[in-house]
Amino acid sequence: KQMGQEKAAALVRELLQLVQESLRRSSDAALEESNNIMVVLPGTAKENALMVAGRIRQIFDDYLAEQGLEDQVKSACSVAAYPEDGESEEKLFTKLGVR
């Protein structure tokens, strides 16, 4: 809120680019929707997805620190797996706190 919508949207785009560059498999994807970055890791066990989430979290923390934004920007990361956390898009998004 302090940075304004335009600056926040630019930051999300920059973070999305960093996430996309960090993905290792061609089937993995990162996308942005409503200032949320979602990473889809098809065929990945939840334990491995949690490790990827930790790596992405570190990327965010490092970038925000480099930009001097660590005190201004708060981010959260959560993991939901199909089918154990939900068998529909709506249930998975609810688990993630997106909807």
Side-chain angles (χ1 to χ4, degrees), residues 30-49:
L31 54 106
E32 183 271 330
E33 180 177 319
S34 303
N35 284 340
N36 291 297
I37 296 173
M38 295 185 182
V39 178
V40 180
L41 306 168
T44 302
K46 189 171 186 174
E47 301 81 37
N48 292 336

Side-chain angles (χ1 to χ4, degrees), residues 2-41:
Q2 294 175 358
M3 0 172 76
Q5 279 199 352
E6 226 174 274
K7 210 170 181 183
L11 176 62
V12 170
R13 285 191 302 275
E14 291 169 18
L15 291 170
L16 176 63
Q17 180 67 35
L18 291 172
V19 171
Q20 289 170 330
E21 292 169 1
S22 76
L23 297 177
R24 297 183 177 155
R25 298 180 313 166
S26 62
S27 60
D28 297 343
L31 54 106
E32 183 271 330
E33 180 177 319
S34 303
N35 284 340
N36 291 297
I37 296 173
M38 295 185 182
V39 178
V40 180
L41 306 168

Side-chain angles (χ1 to χ4, degrees), residues 67-92:
Q67 300 299 313
L69 297 172
E70 66 272 18
D71 294 332
Q72 295 178 39
V73 177
K74 294 180 183 176
S75 65
C77 181
S78 55
V79 174
Y82 173 86
E84 55 260 44
D85 292 322
E87 293 188 9
S88 71
E89 177 182 315
E90 194 63 36
K91 287 182 181 179
L92 289 171

